[in-house]
Amino acid sequence: MGIFSRTRDIIAANFTDLLDKADDPEKMIRMIIFEMEETLVEVRASAARTIADQKEMHRHTVKLDRLQADWAEKAQLALSKDREDLARAALVEKKKAADMADQLKAEIAVLDDALRAYELDIEKLQNRLREARSRQTAIAARLESAENRVKLRTLLASERVDEAMARFDQLERRVDYAEGRADALSLADGTAKPSLADEIAALAGQDKIDEELEAMKRALGGPDGAKQEG
């Protein structure tokens, strides 16, 4: 495939369609980027050769312009010496140099058009290359996200997760048992500290005992009443 045809195909390519039809989008976008980078290098190389050709043609046109001037002077000299035949021959050579110069200038104009086309192609290729690289980054991110989701779902569906949760349950039961033993030992040696609710309940119970004791004293006449009867 020629460089111009390949460049046009790449510029006109629909990335979305290519990636949608690809079995491996990541591999496809890598191939597209590689092809674009190679084409961009070739287009730049062709542009460089065109510029070199232009410079060489410009040098030849300068030489031909000098040659025309030289033949014109010779024709003038020959005519001044009454050598019309030599003057005519010199003018023929001058015309040959002029024709060659005109041909080179026409070719230079063609190369100018080619260079402008190269510049446009290079700009378009660079834009498409940036677009492709952006697509590559997006595809890589999506692929990584999908792989992570697959790994997570595989992990959650595996027996290892159930085994780990069972171990957590066993550990919690061991902790509950250890705490229960500690509470029981505290009750046995009397070091257990009563809770706030227990202390308030004890105060209420003490008030009832005090009231009942006072009632019994009144019923018996109290210590002072017993002494007066004796």
Side-chain angles (χ1 to χ4, degrees):
M1 184 185 296
I3 184 172
F4 291 103
S5 177
R6 187 167 66 177
T7 301
R8 297 295 182 273
D9 289 344
I10 291 175
I11 291 173
N14 188 321
F15 291 158
T16 301
D17 288 346
L18 289 173
L19 296 175
D20 287 343
K21 296 175 182 177
D23 294 331
D24 188 346
E26 188 178 22
K27 181 179 179 181
M28 173 62 75
I29 197 69
R30 284 200 305 268
M31 291 174 60
I32 291 173
I33 290 174
F34 178 76
E35 180 76 10
M36 293 176 70
E37 288 173 342
E38 276 199 334
T39 304
L40 189 58
V41 169
E42 292 182 14
V43 172
R44 284 172 171 164
S46 297
R49 287 193 295 270
T50 300
I51 292 172
D53 291 342
Q54 270 193 326
K55 289 182 178 181
E56 185 177 0
M57 289 179 181
H58 277 300
R59 287 195 296 268
H60 282 302
T61 57
V62 171
K63 290 179 182 179
L64 289 169
D65 288 342
R66 290 174 182 171
L67 186 61
Q68 290 179 68
D70 183 54
W71 281 117
E73 290 178 1
K74 289 177 179 178
Q76 186 69 32
L77 176 62
L79 191 60
S80 66
K81 301 297 183 179
D82 294 328
R83 292 296 305 271
E84 186 174 340
D85 57 332
L86 293 179
R88 183 180 297 277
L91 290 176
V92 169
E93 294 300 321
K94 175 179 177 293
K95 186 175 185 308
K96 290 179 182 179
D99 291 341
M100 291 179 63
D102 290 341
Q103 183 179 353
L104 283 177
K105 289 175 183 178
E107 292 179 6
I108 289 173
V110 172
L111 292 182
D112 280 336
D113 293 338
L115 270 179
R116 281 191 289 271
Y118 279 134
E119 290 175 359
L120 291 174
D121 287 345
I122 288 171
E123 182 180 359
K124 291 176 181 177
L125 277 171
Q126 287 175 331
N127 290 335
R128 301 243 59 188
L129 187 56
R130 281 193 292 270
E131 181 185 351
R133 285 173 176 161
S134 176
R135 292 287 187 89
Q136 184 182 37
T137 301
I139 288 173
R142 288 173 57 193
L143 181 61
E144 182 180 2
S145 176
E147 288 176 347
N148 289 336
R149 289 200 302 271
V150 170
K151 289 179 182 177
L152 179 60
R153 290 175 181 173
T154 302
L155 178 61
L156 292 176
S158 68
E159 294 179 356
R160 288 183 298 172
V161 175
D162 295 335
E163 292 174 358
M165 296 304 295
R167 290 195 189 99
F168 280 126
D169 292 339
Q170 291 175 359
L171 182 59
E172 287 181 350
R173 285 195 293 271
R174 288 176 60 187
V175 171
D176 291 340
Y177 178 71
E179 289 177 348
R181 288 189 61 192
D183 292 341
L185 291 173
S186 297
L187 291 174
D189 61 14
T191 60
K193 182 179 179 181
S195 66
L196 177 61
D198 291 338
E199 291 183 3
I200 293 175
L203 290 176
Q206 186 63 41
D207 289 341
K208 290 181 180 179
I209 292 173
D210 291 341
E211 291 175 0
E212 187 174 356
L213 182 60
E214 289 298 327
M216 291 176 66
K217 287 180 180 180
R218 285 194 297 272
L220 293 174
D224 296 338
K227 288 179 182 179
Q228 290 176 359
E229 290 178 359

